[in-house]
Amino acid sequence: MSAKNEKLLSTLKLQPVVPVLIIEDAESAVPLAKALVAGGLKAIEITLRTDAALEAVRRVAAEVEGAVVGAGTILNPAHFDAAVKAGSQFIVSPGTTRELIHAARGSDIPLLPGAATASEVMQLREEGYQILKFFPAEQAGGAAYLKSLSSPLAGTMFCPTGGISLKNAKDYLSLPNIVCVGGSWVAPKEMVVAGDWAGITKLAAEAAALAG
């Protein structure tokens, strides 16, 4: 396994659930990240879906002890470069393009590229990727689909994201080819807006306990 694959695997193995965050206000980023870390979720994905996202990554990277912050919804090399400059320690994409693979090849920061079909997985394996994001997980076939890939595509590990909740996370985590799952349920928008950091820490702790 390459050094970047090893680095990514060690990050994703920190916990069973990686929070997938859409942050509207950068001011909430640090207390939100601290609440998640306090609950046992150290690796955090902040998606580049808002104007506040890069500033949120910067603040969490600089101010939250114990957090391993990554950037998600990376669609092109410009996104990749901006996220790395902001302090992202891993990069997540919903799918993959040649341009994005090329950008990742020239960086020390590991990419978790998205795939939804066996062909996409095979193409990424040829590029040296052993850990992939499976997205959108529930809509693309769910745990049953990933289970069916475990034998013919042995050696590839997945972090499924999309439609996953506390109710179905164990269906995925019980599979041999799953390293963790991504989920937004640990930081509901209404709790973030209300500043209910204790409530989010409780949700994070419930998610972290799925490892058992």
Side-chain angles (χ1 to χ4, degrees), residues 7 11 15 20 24 29 32 60 62 113 117 119 158 169 200-202 211:
K7 186 177 180 180
T11 296
Q15 65 220 34
V20 179
E24 303 283 353
L32 172 56
V60 173
T117 68
S119 293
F158 295 93
I200 288 173
T201 293
K202 183 179 179 181

Side-chain angles (χ1 to χ4, degrees), residues 10-202:
S10 66
T11 296
L12 298 179
K13 277 188 169 182
L14 288 171
Q15 65 220 34
V17 180
V18 175
V20 179
L21 309 178
I22 299 174
I23 295 180
E24 303 283 353
D25 179 4
E27 292 294 328
S28 68
V30 168
L32 172 56
K34 285 182 176 178
L36 291 166
V37 171
L41 303 184
K42 296 180 179 180
I44 298 166
E45 176 189 338
I46 296 175
T47 61
L48 263 61
R49 301 185 199 179
T50 69
D51 292 338
L54 285 173
E55 179 61 22
V57 170
R58 270 190 288 271
R59 293 190 185 192
V60 173
E63 300 177 37
V64 183
E65 186 176 352
V68 181
V69 63
T73 320
I74 300 298
L75 306 179
N76 54 53
H79 283 171
F80 190 105
D81 292 342
V84 170
K85 286 176 182 175
S88 296
Q89 293 170 268
F90 62 100
I91 300 291
V92 186
S93 63
T96 317
T97 66
R98 289 181 182 176
E99 291 79 8
L100 194 55
I101 292 292
H102 182 73
R105 193 178 294 137
S107 173
D108 292 333
I109 303 301
L111 171 67
L112 177 66
T117 68
S119 293
E120 290 170 347
V121 174
M122 289 169 65
Q123 288 166 359
L124 285 163
R125 281 164 63 109
E126 288 182 359
E127 293 286 346
Y129 287 90
Q130 294 170 274
I131 310 154
L132 310 178
K133 172 175 177 169
F134 180 65
F135 177 83
E138 282 290 283
Q139 296 83 350
Y145 183 89
L146 284 168
K147 184 178 181 180
S148 71
L149 295 183
S150 62
S151 181
L153 296 173
T156 300
M157 300 294 289
F158 295 93
C159 172
T161 304
I164 299 176
S165 67
L166 190 62
K167 291 180 180 178
N168 63 5
K170 281 197 171 182
D171 295 342
Y172 290 91
L173 293 168
S174 65
L175 300 177
N177 56 343
I178 302 302
V179 62
C180 63
V181 301
S184 59
W185 83 87
V186 293
K189 184 177 180 179
E190 61 273 14
M191 292 178 77
V192 175
V193 171
D196 184 4
W197 311 126
I200 288 173
T201 293
K202 183 179 179 181

